[in-house]
């Protein structure tokens, strides 16, 4: 199946491991991701905070390009997914907004008719490929591995496109399909704090600590995420959290696609599993190929 | 009698400082007028993962917006502590798009430079927009450097070991990732800017 693919800025930088693992598994699952030609930043949270109308406009530009290219637009980053989707919904809901955006798009010969469907990568795996099909690709069942399914916030909110806004289950079922065990994780859709870890460090670290603590107390061997910002926060700031809260966390934070690749019997190198700060091998080494 | 007079004068002063049409400024964003429907139930404040660290909780902030306490709202750190997780939005019994209203207030605070100097979030947001406008895509490497340079240069040195590690993992690229047709993007941005000015 062919999709138009919106990588997002993070996947060209800190989230490179996410991109590498996506490339490694998508072919095996029969998915074809064609990059959106000349995509620009979705705007994310910061642009919305400076000039909201421009943020909607640059986001709409991506939608116009995607409509031209055809197929569903797939975003692996939760922030991109939410912003693109929100823009898409608002353009339909608020005619006055659309009027202004249309004027700006028209200026460069673009037009958006509202025909694009925005999908999160996780949604594509669980609903288009499906659990049954995924199960047939599993070569190394991750028996005995306890995984915390961490969805984060923007993948399920504000629009609930494919899963529940507060108690989603799609990632839990996906982990189960890989032969691993999803732990009880009541704060699975709680916010990681986003950029608060740099703008209001004390609060940001506390929010990260709460998530790590909940995972640890429920016996998680590792945490999987669906968002670049969650991965950075939980992984890179783990040491700082340990220092501030006198903890001993050493919980690997993986992208869910890396865990999928591992179960599909793909060599570790092709999944960029070593490109994390918290060591992964002590926990997942027994499944390596 | 004197004490009463002092209190009366203070009340008059306070009422004078209010901006009754502040509420209408929020209407300009899509769905903004729904703030009128707020019943002050506090579901937003109770749901907020960062609420306990806010100067005013979201419920208080909305009451202040409706009372016309413009300066207090735009100067508060509440709007900059909202991390856009949308939990309040999905729980609000009046379907108010709370996160969007926070965005509208942030934009106003930026436009009028009302935010307090000790709040760092506006610096990050402004730098983010700077790099996106320049290259069409966010540059995580440059953003990190420019943000720490402007807020806490000593802290930047402390981050060096970590940055080195990320660099050797190819996660902090040196060269910018750009869009090809930057002019197209800039034209769109300028056109909206003009439309907003006309409004």
């Amino acid at each position: 199946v062919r999709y138009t693919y919106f990588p997002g800025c993070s996947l060209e930088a800190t989230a490179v491991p996410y991109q590498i693992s996506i490339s490694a598994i998508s072919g095996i699952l029969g998915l074809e991701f064609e990059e959106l030609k000349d995509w620009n930043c979705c705007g994310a949270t910061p642009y919305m905070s400076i000039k909201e109308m421009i943020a909607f406009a640059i986001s709409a530009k991506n939608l116009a390009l995607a409509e031209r290219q055809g197929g569903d637009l797939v975003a692996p980053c939760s922030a991109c997914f939410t912003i693109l989707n929100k823009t898409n919904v608002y353009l339909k809901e608020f005619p006055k907004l659309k009027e202004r955006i249309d004027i700006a798009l028209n200026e460069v010969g673009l037009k958006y008719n509202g025909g694009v469907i925005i999908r999160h990568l996780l949604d594509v795996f669980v609903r288009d490929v499906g659990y049954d099909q995924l199960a047939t690709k599993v070569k190394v069942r991750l028996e005995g591995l306890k995984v915390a399914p961490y969805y984060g916030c923007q993948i399920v909110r504000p629009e609930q496109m494919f899963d529940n806004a507060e108690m989603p289950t799609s990632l839990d079922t996906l982990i189960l399909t890989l032969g691993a065990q999803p732990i009880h994780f009541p704060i699975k859709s709680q916010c990681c704090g986003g950029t608060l870890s740099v703008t209001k460090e004390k609060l940001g670290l506390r929010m990260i600590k709460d998530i790590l603590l909940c995972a640890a107390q429920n016996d998680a061997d590792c945490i999987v995420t669906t968002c670049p910002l969650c991965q950075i926060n939980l992984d890179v700031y783990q040491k700082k959290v340990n220092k501030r809260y006198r903890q001993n966390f050493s919980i690997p934070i993986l992208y869910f696609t890396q865990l999928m690749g591992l179960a599909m019997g793909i060599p570790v190198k092709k999944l960029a599993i070593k490109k994390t700060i918290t060591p992964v091998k002590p926990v997942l080494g027994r499944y390596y190929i | 009698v004197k004490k009463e007079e002092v209190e009366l004068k203070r009340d008059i002063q306070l009422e004078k400082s209010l901006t009754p049409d502040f509420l209408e400024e929020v209407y300009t964003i899509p769905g903004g007028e729904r703030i009128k429907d707020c019943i002050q139930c506090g579901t937003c404040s109770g749901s907020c993962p960062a609420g306990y660290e806010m100067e005013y909780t979201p419920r208080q902030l909305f009451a202040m917006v409706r009372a016309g306490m413009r300066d207090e709202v735009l100067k508060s750190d509440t709007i900059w502590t909202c991390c856009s997780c949308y939990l309040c939005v999905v729980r609000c019994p009046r379907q108010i798009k709370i996160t969007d209203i926070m965005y509208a207030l942030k934009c106003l605070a930026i436009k009028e430079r009302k935010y307090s100097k000790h709040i760092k979030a506006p610096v990050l947001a402004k730098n983010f927009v700077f790099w996106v406008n320049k290259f069409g895509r966010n540059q995580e490497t440059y953003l990190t450097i420019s943000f720490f340079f402007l807020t806490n240069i000593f802290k930047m040195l402390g981050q060096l070991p970590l940055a080195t590690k990320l660099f050797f993992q190819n996660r902090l690229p040196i060269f910018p990732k750009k869009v090809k047709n930057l002019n197209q993007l800039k034209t769109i941005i300028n056109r909206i800017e003009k439309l907003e000015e006309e409004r």
Side-chain angles (χ1 to χ4, degrees), chain A residues 138-152:
Chain A
V138 173
K139 298 229 170 75
V140 186
R141 282 183 65 80
L142 307 174
E143 298 286 357
L145 186 70
K146 290 180 179 170
V147 184
Y150 182 52
Y151 298 76

Side-chain angles (χ1 to χ4, degrees), chain B residues 105-148:
Chain B
L105 296 172
K106 287 182 212 186
C107 291
L108 274 175
I110 288 276
K111 198 171 150 196
E112 298 172 20
R113 295 167 192 257
K114 279 269 160 75
Y115 55 87
S116 307
K117 279 223 169 81
H118 70 276
I119 305 175
K120 291 180 191 166
V123 182
L124 185 79
K126 277 166 126 179
N127 274 277
F128 182 96
V129 167
F130 174 80
W131 294 116
V132 171
N133 285 352
K134 196 168 171 63
F135 295 114
R137 291 180 193 170
N138 177 32
Q139 313 294 328
E140 287 179 337
T141 313
Y142 302 174
L143 179 63
T144 314
I145 294 170
S146 59
F147 173 75
F148 279 112

Side-chain angles (χ1 to χ4, degrees), chain A residues 6 49 79-80 113 118 128 132 145 151 171 199 211 222 237 259:
Chain A
F6 185 91
S49 319
C80 301
N113 299 309
I118 322 290
D128 291 9
D132 294 341
L145 186 70
Y151 298 76
L171 189 56
T199 59
I211 291 159
C222 65
Y237 289 97
L259 200 70

Side-chain angles (χ1 to χ4, degrees), chain A:
Chain A
V1 192
R2 204 196 69 87
Y3 298 88
T4 300
Y5 180 65
F6 185 91
C9 309
S10 286
L11 275 85
E12 292 186 325
T14 50
V16 157
Y18 197 8
Q19 182 55 57
I20 294 173
S21 58
I22 292 168
S23 306
I25 64 171
S26 51
I28 301 174
L29 297 170
L31 302 169
E32 198 189 314
F33 293 128
E34 191 188 279
E35 190 168 319
L36 178 65
K37 284 183 194 92
D38 214 28
W39 57 273
N40 55 263
C41 171
C42 71
T45 298
Y47 217 124
M48 282 271 167
S49 319
I50 301 282
K51 281 184 175 152
E52 205 168 24
M53 201 53 73
I54 298 181
F56 279 123
I58 63 171
S59 187
K61 186 200 146 206
N62 286 317
L63 299 180
L65 294 175
E67 194 169 47
R68 203 186 263 177
Q69 207 163 318
D72 290 0
L73 184 63
V74 178
C77 165
S78 301
C80 301
F81 168 68
T82 261
I83 292 287
L84 293 170
N85 197 46
K86 198 170 120 176
T87 307
N88 204 20
V89 172
Y90 281 18
L91 286 175
K92 289 192 183 105
E93 203 177 320
F94 302 102
K96 270 191 193 157
L97 173 75
K98 189 172 187 316
E99 206 177 284
R100 302 177 91 74
I101 303 294
D102 280 348
I103 295 172
L105 289 181
N106 189 41
E107 193 95 349
V108 291
L110 288 174
K111 192 171 174 16
Y112 181 56
N113 299 309
V116 178
I117 297 169
I118 322 290
R119 313 278 305 273
H120 191 281
L121 183 70
L122 176 64
D123 177 22
V124 171
F125 286 147
V126 302
R127 285 203 307 179
D128 291 9
V129 178
Y131 301 114
D132 294 341
Q133 183 65 21
L134 283 171
T136 65
K137 305 287 180 194
V138 173
K139 298 229 170 75
V140 186
R141 282 183 65 80
L142 307 174
E143 298 286 357
L145 186 70
K146 290 180 179 170
V147 184
Y150 182 52
Y151 298 76
C153 51
Q154 297 195 340
I155 188 173
V156 282
R157 296 193 291 267
E159 313 294 334
Q160 299 158 56
M161 296 304 285
F162 67 101
D163 212 336
N164 187 280
E166 294 192 44
M167 274 296 150
T169 51
S170 50
L171 189 56
D172 292 69
T173 315
L174 177 70
I175 291 165
L176 210 55
T177 311
L178 305 178
Q181 183 193 334
I183 61 152
H184 169 66
F185 199 42
I187 59 169
K188 52 185 164 184
S189 74
Q190 187 166 302
C191 176
C192 72
T195 51
L196 284 176
S197 54
V198 292
T199 59
K200 209 170 175 177
E201 194 178 326
K202 215 175 97 192
L203 173 62
L205 289 183
R206 185 164 164 181
M207 291 170 80
I208 296 166
K209 182 263 296 173
D210 287 345
I211 291 159
L212 293 170
L213 193 64
C214 181
Q217 288 184 335
N218 284 297
D219 292 329
D221 295 317
C222 65
I223 299 177
V224 293
T225 77
T226 64
C227 170
L229 200 50
C230 298
Q231 202 279 338
I232 278 282
N233 270 339
L234 297 181
D235 188 22
V236 170
Y237 289 97
Q238 212 172 112
K239 253 192 186 160
K240 264 194 178 166
V241 166
N242 282 342
K243 213 170 153 193
R244 177 180 281 266
Y245 292 99
R246 296 197 194 95
Q247 294 287 340
N248 260 318
F249 297 129
S250 181
I251 311 174
I253 315 294
L254 296 165
Y255 290 106
F256 74 104
T257 45
Q258 291 177 309
L259 200 70
M260 285 172 74
L262 211 58
M264 286 157 70
I266 296 170
V268 185
K269 234 185 173 172
K270 283 191 175 171
L271 297 170
I273 278 181
K274 278 186 187 161
K275 294 190 181 200
T276 50
I277 301 298
T278 314
V280 179
K281 206 173 174 186
V283 172
L284 283 156
R286 58 197 156 124
Y287 307 105
Y288 282 10
I289 285 193

Side-chain angles (χ1 to χ4, degrees), chain B residues 149-185:
Chain B
F149 185 79
L150 292 169
T151 53
N152 192 340
I153 195 156
F154 297 108
K155 206 164 203 169
M156 185 156 79
L157 298 174
Q159 307 272 19
L160 268 180
L162 186 66
T164 314
K165 214 167 180 178
L166 290 171
F167 173 77
F168 282 110
Q169 293 179 348
N170 287 331
R171 292 167 75 187
L172 281 182
I174 298 176
F175 300 109
K177 312 275 181 186
K178 305 181 215 179
V179 297
K180 283 184 208 100
N181 195 345
L182 196 59
N183 265 338
Q184 192 182 47
L185 189 70

